[in-house]
Amino acid sequence: QTVARMMTVDMTEIDALLSSLINAGVIHPRRTMDGDTFAFKHALLQDYTYATILKKDRQALHLSAAEALADSDEASQQANEIARHFVEANAMERAVPYFEDAGRQAAWVSAHTEAVAHFENALKAHRATPDGPDKERRELQLILQRISQILVTSGLANEEIYDDTNRAVALADQV
């Protein structure tokens, strides 16, 4: 369904293409609670296929995938996946809010280590965006969210707390 939203192709055509790839042994179906997905039978085949697509075409595909997922009913449960596609599409400013959502969701279910990683990814993506009037304020918000999760996972013993706190103080002075 995501592929159908990405392209102007009928689901019948997509089903036929997927069936031929399954019959050729290239991919295999996976049944999950979220529905059917497909995966390459071997990581090397996936890597080879990915490498044969020109970078600008890969970025366009990732952008289409991110937008299709973002427009789906399951978007809130796929925030990290959407963000990852935006990063691969080099649309960093669009990735940031999805990484942040993924971090908040992880924190909500007490997956604090995962939340730290999501907020770190949000910061990396944010730092790759062009400078703007609110860039420092936004970075400060992301750092504070990350700090709160690091405190839960490892307390003050974590050296990252000090680096993040120093950066947060410097940003607070700027904004």
Side-chain angles (χ1 to χ4, degrees), residues 106-149:
W108 179 254
V109 296
S110 299
H112 302 292
T113 302
E114 186 177 322
V116 170
H118 291 310
F119 289 126
E120 178 62 31
N121 288 333
L123 280 163
K124 285 178 186 174
H126 178 71
R127 289 174 179 147
T129 63
D131 289 341
D134 289 331
K135 185 164 182 172
E136 288 84 10
R137 179 176 322 239
R138 187 77 174 104
E139 183 179 353
L140 177 59
Q141 292 170 338
L142 294 169
I143 287 173
L144 292 175
Q145 290 178 92
R146 184 172 182 269
I147 288 172
S148 70
Q149 297 307 302

mmCIF file of all heavy atoms in Angstrom, residues 106-149:
data_model
loop_
_atom_site.group_PDB
_atom_site.id
_atom_site.type_symbol
_atom_site.label_atom_id
_atom_site.label_comp_id
_atom_site.label_asym_id
_atom_site.label_seq_id
_atom_site.Cartn_x
_atom_site.Cartn_y
_atom_site.Cartn_z
ATOM 1 N N ALA A 106 8.969 6.915 22.591
ATOM 2 C CA ALA A 106 9.811 5.969 23.323
ATOM 3 C C ALA A 106 9.848 6.326 24.808
ATOM 4 O O ALA A 106 9.750 5.451 25.667
ATOM 5 C CB ALA A 106 11.223 5.947 22.736
ATOM 6 N N ALA A 107 9.981 7.608 25.104
ATOM 7 C CA ALA A 107 10.003 8.041 26.507
ATOM 8 C C ALA A 107 8.673 7.719 27.190
ATOM 9 O O ALA A 107 8.653 7.290 28.350
ATOM 10 C CB ALA A 107 10.288 9.538 26.591
ATOM 11 N N TRP A 108 7.585 7.882 26.484
ATOM 12 C CA TRP A 108 6.252 7.634 27.038
ATOM 13 C C TRP A 108 6.089 6.185 27.493
ATOM 14 O O TRP A 108 5.422 5.912 28.491
ATOM 15 C CB TRP A 108 5.203 7.995 25.997
ATOM 16 C CG TRP A 108 3.794 7.766 26.453
ATOM 17 C CD1 TRP A 108 2.966 6.762 26.069
ATOM 18 C CD2 TRP A 108 3.047 8.545 27.388
ATOM 19 N NE1 TRP A 108 1.752 6.862 26.700
ATOM 20 C CE2 TRP A 108 1.769 7.960 27.520
ATOM 21 C CE3 TRP A 108 3.331 9.689 28.130
ATOM 22 C CZ2 TRP A 108 0.793 8.468 28.359
ATOM 23 C CZ3 TRP A 108 2.342 10.196 28.963
ATOM 24 C CH2 TRP A 108 1.097 9.587 29.065
ATOM 25 N N VAL A 109 6.722 5.251 26.762
ATOM 26 C CA VAL A 109 6.608 3.833 27.125
ATOM 27 C C VAL A 109 7.840 3.348 27.898
ATOM 28 O O VAL A 109 8.116 2.164 27.965
ATOM 29 C CB VAL A 109 6.357 2.936 25.877
ATOM 30 C CG1 VAL A 109 5.028 3.282 25.237
ATOM 31 C CG2 VAL A 109 7.495 3.029 24.877
ATOM 32 N N SER A 110 8.578 4.301 28.437
ATOM 33 C CA SER A 110 9.756 4.024 29.264
ATOM 34 C C SER A 110 10.883 3.317 28.522
ATOM 35 O O SER A 110 11.679 2.599 29.119
ATOM 36 C CB SER A 110 9.361 3.216 30.512
ATOM 37 O OG SER A 110 8.453 3.961 31.294
ATOM 38 N N ALA A 111 10.968 3.538 27.218
ATOM 39 C CA ALA A 111 12.092 3.032 26.417
ATOM 40 C C ALA A 111 13.115 4.167 26.332
ATOM 41 O O ALA A 111 13.350 4.740 25.261
ATOM 42 C CB ALA A 111 11.620 2.589 25.044
ATOM 43 N N HIS A 112 13.705 4.496 27.470
ATOM 44 C CA HIS A 112 14.525 5.701 27.580
ATOM 45 C C HIS A 112 15.809 5.644 26.763
ATOM 46 O O HIS A 112 16.227 6.666 26.207
ATOM 47 C CB HIS A 112 14.810 5.994 29.053
ATOM 48 C CG HIS A 112 13.566 6.162 29.856
ATOM 49 N ND1 HIS A 112 12.709 7.224 29.695
ATOM 50 C CD2 HIS A 112 12.996 5.371 30.800
ATOM 51 C CE1 HIS A 112 11.686 7.105 30.509
ATOM 52 N NE2 HIS A 112 11.834 5.979 31.195
ATOM 53 N N THR A 113 16.432 4.488 26.669
ATOM 54 C CA THR A 113 17.645 4.374 25.855
ATOM 55 C C THR A 113 17.317 4.640 24.394
ATOM 56 O O THR A 113 18.060 5.336 23.688
ATOM 57 C CB THR A 113 18.277 2.969 26.025
ATOM 58 O OG1 THR A 113 18.574 2.778 27.420
ATOM 59 C CG2 THR A 113 19.545 2.828 25.212
ATOM 60 N N GLU A 114 16.212 4.094 23.954
ATOM 61 C CA GLU A 114 15.754 4.343 22.585
ATOM 62 C C GLU A 114 15.415 5.826 22.397
ATOM 63 O O GLU A 114 15.730 6.420 21.362
ATOM 64 C CB GLU A 114 14.534 3.472 22.286
ATOM 65 C CG GLU A 114 14.061 3.546 20.861
ATOM 66 C CD GLU A 114 12.881 2.605 20.605
ATOM 67 O OE1 GLU A 114 12.859 1.486 21.159
ATOM 68 O OE2 GLU A 114 11.996 3.004 19.842
ATOM 69 N N ALA A 115 14.798 6.429 23.384
ATOM 70 C CA ALA A 115 14.456 7.851 23.318
ATOM 71 C C ALA A 115 15.713 8.700 23.159
ATOM 72 O O ALA A 115 15.736 9.644 22.360
ATOM 73 C CB ALA A 115 13.667 8.271 24.549
ATOM 74 N N VAL A 116 16.762 8.370 23.920
ATOM 75 C CA VAL A 116 18.031 9.095 23.797
ATOM 76 C C VAL A 116 18.527 9.027 22.359
ATOM 77 O O VAL A 116 18.936 10.040 21.777
ATOM 78 C CB VAL A 116 19.101 8.532 24.765
ATOM 79 C CG1 VAL A 116 20.474 9.119 24.460
ATOM 80 C CG2 VAL A 116 18.719 8.803 26.214
ATOM 81 N N ALA A 117 18.475 7.842 21.761
ATOM 82 C CA ALA A 117 18.947 7.671 20.376
ATOM 83 C C ALA A 117 18.113 8.497 19.407
ATOM 84 O O ALA A 117 18.663 9.125 18.484
ATOM 85 C CB ALA A 117 18.921 6.194 19.993
ATOM 86 N N HIS A 118 16.805 8.518 19.600
ATOM 87 C CA HIS A 118 15.936 9.306 18.707
ATOM 88 C C HIS A 118 16.233 10.799 18.835
ATOM 89 O O HIS A 118 16.309 11.507 17.831
ATOM 90 C CB HIS A 118 14.462 9.038 19.005
ATOM 91 C CG HIS A 118 14.014 7.660 18.627
ATOM 92 N ND1 HIS A 118 14.245 7.090 17.390
ATOM 93 C CD2 HIS A 118 13.324 6.733 19.330
ATOM 94 C CE1 HIS A 118 13.723 5.884 17.354
ATOM 95 N NE2 HIS A 118 13.163 5.643 18.523
ATOM 96 N N PHE A 119 16.412 11.268 20.059
ATOM 97 C CA PHE A 119 16.721 12.689 20.242
ATOM 98 C C PHE A 119 18.106 13.024 19.689
ATOM 99 O O PHE A 119 18.317 14.115 19.148
ATOM 100 C CB PHE A 119 16.583 13.110 21.707
ATOM 101 C CG PHE A 119 15.156 13.158 22.181
ATOM 102 C CD1 PHE A 119 14.756 12.461 23.301
ATOM 103 C CD2 PHE A 119 14.201 13.895 21.491
ATOM 104 C CE1 PHE A 119 13.435 12.496 23.743
ATOM 105 C CE2 PHE A 119 12.877 13.943 21.910
ATOM 106 C CZ PHE A 119 12.496 13.238 23.041
ATOM 107 N N GLU A 120 19.045 12.096 19.807
ATOM 108 C CA GLU A 120 20.371 12.298 19.209
ATOM 109 C C GLU A 120 20.251 12.400 17.685
ATOM 110 O O GLU A 120 20.870 13.259 17.062
ATOM 111 C CB GLU A 120 21.320 11.161 19.594
ATOM 112 C CG GLU A 120 22.698 11.276 18.965
ATOM 113 C CD GLU A 120 23.461 12.531 19.380
ATOM 114 O OE1 GLU A 120 23.257 13.016 20.510
ATOM 115 O OE2 GLU A 120 24.265 13.030 18.567
ATOM 116 N N ASN A 121 19.444 11.532 17.092
ATOM 117 C CA ASN A 121 19.225 11.606 15.644
ATOM 118 C C ASN A 121 18.547 12.916 15.255
ATOM 119 O O ASN A 121 18.872 13.509 14.214
ATOM 120 C CB ASN A 121 18.401 10.415 15.159
ATOM 121 C CG ASN A 121 19.189 9.133 15.178
ATOM 122 O OD1 ASN A 121 20.407 9.132 15.073
ATOM 123 N ND2 ASN A 121 18.498 8.010 15.321
ATOM 124 N N ALA A 122 17.623 13.373 16.085
ATOM 125 C CA ALA A 122 16.965 14.657 15.817
ATOM 126 C C ALA A 122 17.989 15.787 15.849
ATOM 127 O O ALA A 122 17.979 16.681 14.986
ATOM 128 C CB ALA A 122 15.859 14.912 16.845
ATOM 129 N N LEU A 123 18.888 15.741 16.823
ATOM 130 C CA LEU A 123 19.933 16.768 16.913
ATOM 131 C C LEU A 123 20.871 16.729 15.711
ATOM 132 O O LEU A 123 21.225 17.781 15.156
ATOM 133 C CB LEU A 123 20.733 16.599 18.209
ATOM 134 C CG LEU A 123 20.083 17.169 19.453
ATOM 135 C CD1 LEU A 123 20.725 16.612 20.713
ATOM 136 C CD2 LEU A 123 20.173 18.693 19.435
ATOM 137 N N LYS A 124 21.279 15.543 15.302
ATOM 138 C CA LYS A 124 22.166 15.421 14.133
ATOM 139 C C LYS A 124 21.491 15.986 12.886
ATOM 140 O O LYS A 124 22.109 16.722 12.114
ATOM 141 C CB LYS A 124 22.554 13.961 13.895
ATOM 142 C CG LYS A 124 23.564 13.423 14.865
ATOM 143 C CD LYS A 124 23.858 11.951 14.584
ATOM 144 C CE LYS A 124 24.764 11.364 15.637
ATOM 145 N NZ LYS A 124 24.932 9.910 15.449
ATOM 146 N N ALA A 125 20.241 15.627 12.690
ATOM 147 C CA ALA A 125 19.506 16.131 11.526
ATOM 148 C C ALA A 125 19.337 17.641 11.625
ATOM 149 O O ALA A 125 19.523 18.369 10.642
ATOM 150 C CB ALA A 125 18.147 15.437 11.404
ATOM 151 N N HIS A 126 19.010 18.125 12.821
ATOM 152 C CA HIS A 126 18.804 19.564 13.016
ATOM 153 C C HIS A 126 20.086 20.346 12.734
ATOM 154 O O HIS A 126 20.049 21.412 12.116
ATOM 155 C CB HIS A 126 18.317 19.840 14.429
ATOM 156 C CG HIS A 126 18.144 21.296 14.711
ATOM 157 N ND1 HIS A 126 17.127 22.033 14.153
ATOM 158 C CD2 HIS A 126 18.875 22.163 15.462
ATOM 159 C CE1 HIS A 126 17.239 23.294 14.553
ATOM 160 N NE2 HIS A 126 18.278 23.383 15.348
ATOM 161 N N ARG A 127 21.199 19.813 13.187
ATOM 162 C CA ARG A 127 22.479 20.513 12.978
ATOM 163 C C ARG A 127 22.871 20.567 11.502
ATOM 164 O O ARG A 127 23.682 21.397 11.112
ATOM 165 C CB ARG A 127 23.572 19.863 13.817
ATOM 166 C CG ARG A 127 23.381 20.144 15.301
ATOM 167 C CD ARG A 127 24.352 19.405 16.178
ATOM 168 N NE ARG A 127 24.118 19.745 17.582
ATOM 169 C CZ ARG A 127 24.295 18.913 18.591
ATOM 170 N NH1 ARG A 127 24.741 17.686 18.371
ATOM 171 N NH2 ARG A 127 24.051 19.296 19.822
ATOM 172 N N ALA A 128 22.275 19.697 10.687
ATOM 173 C CA ALA A 128 22.555 19.687 9.247
ATOM 174 C C ALA A 128 21.608 20.607 8.466
ATOM 175 O O ALA A 128 21.726 20.709 7.249
ATOM 176 C CB ALA A 128 22.451 18.265 8.707
ATOM 177 N N THR A 129 20.698 21.274 9.165
ATOM 178 C CA THR A 129 19.773 22.186 8.488
ATOM 179 C C THR A 129 20.416 23.560 8.348
ATOM 180 O O THR A 129 21.340 23.904 9.092
ATOM 181 C CB THR A 129 18.439 22.323 9.255
ATOM 182 O OG1 THR A 129 18.695 22.896 10.537
ATOM 183 C CG2 THR A 129 17.748 20.976 9.407
ATOM 184 N N PRO A 130 19.920 24.362 7.397
ATOM 185 C CA PRO A 130 20.476 25.707 7.231
ATOM 186 C C PRO A 130 20.217 26.579 8.470
ATOM 187 O O PRO A 130 19.257 26.354 9.215
ATOM 188 C CB PRO A 130 19.712 26.278 6.029
ATOM 189 C CG PRO A 130 18.965 25.146 5.421
ATOM 190 C CD PRO A 130 18.880 24.052 6.434
ATOM 191 N N ASP A 131 21.083 27.542 8.671
ATOM 192 C CA ASP A 131 20.902 28.466 9.784
ATOM 193 C C ASP A 131 19.624 29.265 9.575
ATOM 194 O O ASP A 131 19.248 29.592 8.448
ATOM 195 C CB ASP A 131 22.095 29.417 9.896
ATOM 196 C CG ASP A 131 23.341 28.718 10.395
ATOM 197 O OD1 ASP A 131 23.206 27.630 10.986
ATOM 198 O OD2 ASP A 131 24.446 29.259 10.190
ATOM 199 N N GLY A 132 18.978 29.552 10.667
ATOM 200 C CA GLY A 132 17.752 30.331 10.625
ATOM 201 C C GLY A 132 17.553 31.042 11.943
ATOM 202 O O GLY A 132 18.313 30.832 12.897
ATOM 203 N N PRO A 133 16.510 31.860 12.034
ATOM 204 C CA PRO A 133 16.309 32.665 13.241
ATOM 205 C C PRO A 133 16.037 31.849 14.504
ATOM 206 O O PRO A 133 16.397 32.268 15.600
ATOM 207 C CB PRO A 133 15.103 33.548 12.896
ATOM 208 C CG PRO A 133 14.434 32.872 11.749
ATOM 209 C CD PRO A 133 15.496 32.108 11.019
ATOM 210 N N ASP A 134 15.447 30.691 14.384
ATOM 211 C CA ASP A 134 15.111 29.890 15.566
ATOM 212 C C ASP A 134 15.959 28.631 15.698
ATOM 213 O O ASP A 134 15.619 27.748 16.483
ATOM 214 C CB ASP A 134 13.626 29.493 15.527
ATOM 215 C CG ASP A 134 12.713 30.675 15.786
ATOM 216 O OD1 ASP A 134 13.140 31.599 16.501
ATOM 217 O OD2 ASP A 134 11.582 30.672 15.274
ATOM 218 N N LYS A 135 17.050 28.542 14.952
ATOM 219 C CA LYS A 135 17.836 27.305 14.969
ATOM 220 C C LYS A 135 18.378 27.000 16.363
ATOM 221 O O LYS A 135 18.295 25.861 16.822
ATOM 222 C CB LYS A 135 18.973 27.366 13.958
ATOM 223 C CG LYS A 135 19.712 26.049 13.872
ATOM 224 C CD LYS A 135 20.560 25.921 12.656
ATOM 225 C CE LYS A 135 21.203 24.542 12.655
ATOM 226 N NZ LYS A 135 21.893 24.235 11.439
ATOM 227 N N GLU A 136 18.926 27.998 17.050
ATOM 228 C CA GLU A 136 19.491 27.765 18.376
ATOM 229 C C GLU A 136 18.409 27.377 19.380
ATOM 230 O O GLU A 136 18.602 26.495 20.207
ATOM 231 C CB GLU A 136 20.258 28.991 18.883
ATOM 232 C CG GLU A 136 21.575 29.226 18.180
ATOM 233 C CD GLU A 136 21.440 29.988 16.865
ATOM 234 O OE1 GLU A 136 20.334 30.517 16.583
ATOM 235 O OE2 GLU A 136 22.423 30.029 16.112
ATOM 236 N N ARG A 137 17.258 28.037 19.309
ATOM 237 C CA ARG A 137 16.157 27.731 20.226
ATOM 238 C C ARG A 137 15.699 26.281 20.044
ATOM 239 O O ARG A 137 15.474 25.551 20.998
ATOM 240 C CB ARG A 137 14.989 28.681 19.993
ATOM 241 C CG ARG A 137 13.792 28.412 20.893
ATOM 242 C CD ARG A 137 12.735 29.440 20.654
ATOM 243 N NE ARG A 137 13.457 30.661 20.455
ATOM 244 C CZ ARG A 137 13.379 31.800 21.142
ATOM 245 N NH1 ARG A 137 12.591 31.944 21.955
ATOM 246 N NH2 ARG A 137 14.103 32.846 20.972
ATOM 247 N N ARG A 138 15.598 25.873 18.785
ATOM 248 C CA ARG A 138 15.159 24.501 18.478
ATOM 249 C C ARG A 138 16.180 23.488 18.981
ATOM 250 O O ARG A 138 15.831 22.450 19.543
ATOM 251 C CB ARG A 138 14.952 24.373 16.965
ATOM 252 C CG ARG A 138 14.361 23.080 16.563
ATOM 253 C CD ARG A 138 12.859 23.096 16.861
ATOM 254 N NE ARG A 138 12.270 21.884 16.346
ATOM 255 C CZ ARG A 138 11.918 20.865 17.115
ATOM 256 N NH1 ARG A 138 12.071 20.917 18.423
ATOM 257 N NH2 ARG A 138 11.395 19.788 16.589
ATOM 258 N N GLU A 139 17.474 23.780 18.769
ATOM 259 C CA GLU A 139 18.525 22.882 19.256
ATOM 260 C C GLU A 139 18.467 22.774 20.775
ATOM 261 O O GLU A 139 18.619 21.681 21.332
ATOM 262 C CB GLU A 139 19.906 23.371 18.811
ATOM 263 C CG GLU A 139 21.022 22.440 19.232
ATOM 264 C CD GLU A 139 22.403 22.881 18.780
ATOM 265 O OE1 GLU A 139 22.522 23.853 18.012
ATOM 266 O OE2 GLU A 139 23.376 22.228 19.203
ATOM 267 N N LEU A 140 18.231 23.891 21.446
ATOM 268 C CA LEU A 140 18.119 23.881 22.900
ATOM 269 C C LEU A 140 16.977 22.969 23.355
ATOM 270 O O LEU A 140 17.144 22.158 24.275
ATOM 271 C CB LEU A 140 17.909 25.301 23.426
ATOM 272 C CG LEU A 140 17.703 25.460 24.931
ATOM 273 C CD1 LEU A 140 18.891 24.911 25.709
ATOM 274 C CD2 LEU A 140 17.447 26.920 25.274
ATOM 275 N N GLN A 141 15.836 23.051 22.694
ATOM 276 C CA GLN A 141 14.698 22.189 23.046
ATOM 277 C C GLN A 141 15.060 20.711 22.891
ATOM 278 O O GLN A 141 14.740 19.889 23.757
ATOM 279 C CB GLN A 141 13.492 22.505 22.148
ATOM 280 C CG GLN A 141 12.880 23.855 22.394
ATOM 281 C CD GLN A 141 11.864 24.225 21.325
ATOM 282 O OE1 GLN A 141 11.885 23.708 20.214
ATOM 283 N NE2 GLN A 141 10.967 25.139 21.671
ATOM 284 N N LEU A 142 15.729 20.379 21.801
ATOM 285 C CA LEU A 142 16.107 18.983 21.552
ATOM 286 C C LEU A 142 17.130 18.497 22.579
ATOM 287 O O LEU A 142 17.043 17.367 23.074
ATOM 288 C CB LEU A 142 16.639 18.818 20.135
ATOM 289 C CG LEU A 142 15.617 19.044 19.016
ATOM 290 C CD1 LEU A 142 16.311 19.127 17.662
ATOM 291 C CD2 LEU A 142 14.564 17.951 19.022
ATOM 292 N N ILE A 143 18.099 19.339 22.894
ATOM 293 C CA ILE A 143 19.111 18.960 23.887
ATOM 294 C C ILE A 143 18.467 18.710 25.246
ATOM 295 O O ILE A 143 18.795 17.737 25.934
ATOM 296 C CB ILE A 143 20.222 20.034 23.998
ATOM 297 C CG1 ILE A 143 21.119 19.982 22.754
ATOM 298 C CG2 ILE A 143 21.054 19.838 25.263
ATOM 299 C CD1 ILE A 143 22.142 21.095 22.692
ATOM 300 N N LEU A 144 17.547 19.570 25.647
ATOM 301 C CA LEU A 144 16.893 19.402 26.946
ATOM 302 C C LEU A 144 16.094 18.107 27.002
ATOM 303 O O LEU A 144 16.094 17.411 28.041
ATOM 304 C CB LEU A 144 16.011 20.608 27.259
ATOM 305 C CG LEU A 144 16.771 21.914 27.513
ATOM 306 C CD1 LEU A 144 15.801 23.072 27.687
ATOM 307 C CD2 LEU A 144 17.710 21.791 28.706
ATOM 308 N N GLN A 145 15.446 17.759 25.899
ATOM 309 C CA GLN A 145 14.715 16.483 25.868
ATOM 310 C C GLN A 145 15.681 15.306 25.966
ATOM 311 O O GLN A 145 15.416 14.326 26.658
ATOM 312 C CB GLN A 145 13.884 16.391 24.581
ATOM 313 C CG GLN A 145 12.709 17.357 24.582
ATOM 314 C CD GLN A 145 11.930 17.288 23.298
ATOM 315 O OE1 GLN A 145 10.975 16.534 23.226
ATOM 316 N NE2 GLN A 145 12.351 18.054 22.299
ATOM 317 N N ARG A 146 16.801 15.422 25.271
ATOM 318 C CA ARG A 146 17.813 14.356 25.324
ATOM 319 C C ARG A 146 18.377 14.228 26.742
ATOM 320 O O ARG A 146 18.517 13.121 27.271
ATOM 321 C CB ARG A 146 18.925 14.639 24.323
ATOM 322 C CG ARG A 146 19.967 13.547 24.249
ATOM 323 C CD ARG A 146 20.936 13.820 23.088
ATOM 324 N NE ARG A 146 21.899 12.762 22.991
ATOM 325 C CZ ARG A 146 23.084 12.760 23.619
ATOM 326 N NH1 ARG A 146 23.435 13.767 24.378
ATOM 327 N NH2 ARG A 146 23.904 11.741 23.485
ATOM 328 N N ILE A 147 18.704 15.360 27.367
ATOM 329 C CA ILE A 147 19.228 15.343 28.736
ATOM 330 C C ILE A 147 18.260 14.629 29.678
ATOM 331 O O ILE A 147 18.671 13.819 30.515
ATOM 332 C CB ILE A 147 19.524 16.777 29.237
ATOM 333 C CG1 ILE A 147 20.765 17.341 28.542
ATOM 334 C CG2 ILE A 147 19.700 16.802 30.758
ATOM 335 C CD1 ILE A 147 21.009 18.819 28.839
ATOM 336 N N SER A 148 16.972 14.932 29.547
ATOM 337 C CA SER A 148 15.998 14.322 30.459
ATOM 338 C C SER A 148 16.011 12.804 30.344
ATOM 339 O O SER A 148 15.845 12.101 31.345
ATOM 340 C CB SER A 148 14.592 14.863 30.186
ATOM 341 O OG SER A 148 14.087 14.385 28.956
ATOM 342 N N GLN A 149 16.239 12.287 29.154
ATOM 343 C CA GLN A 149 16.259 10.834 28.966
ATOM 344 C C GLN A 149 17.582 10.220 29.419
ATOM 345 O O GLN A 149 17.610 9.117 29.955
ATOM 346 C CB GLN A 149 15.964 10.486 27.508
ATOM 347 C CG GLN A 149 14.573 10.912 27.065
ATOM 348 C CD GLN A 149 13.500 10.389 27.994
ATOM 349 O OE1 GLN A 149 13.374 9.181 28.189
ATOM 350 N NE2 GLN A 149 12.727 11.279 28.591
#
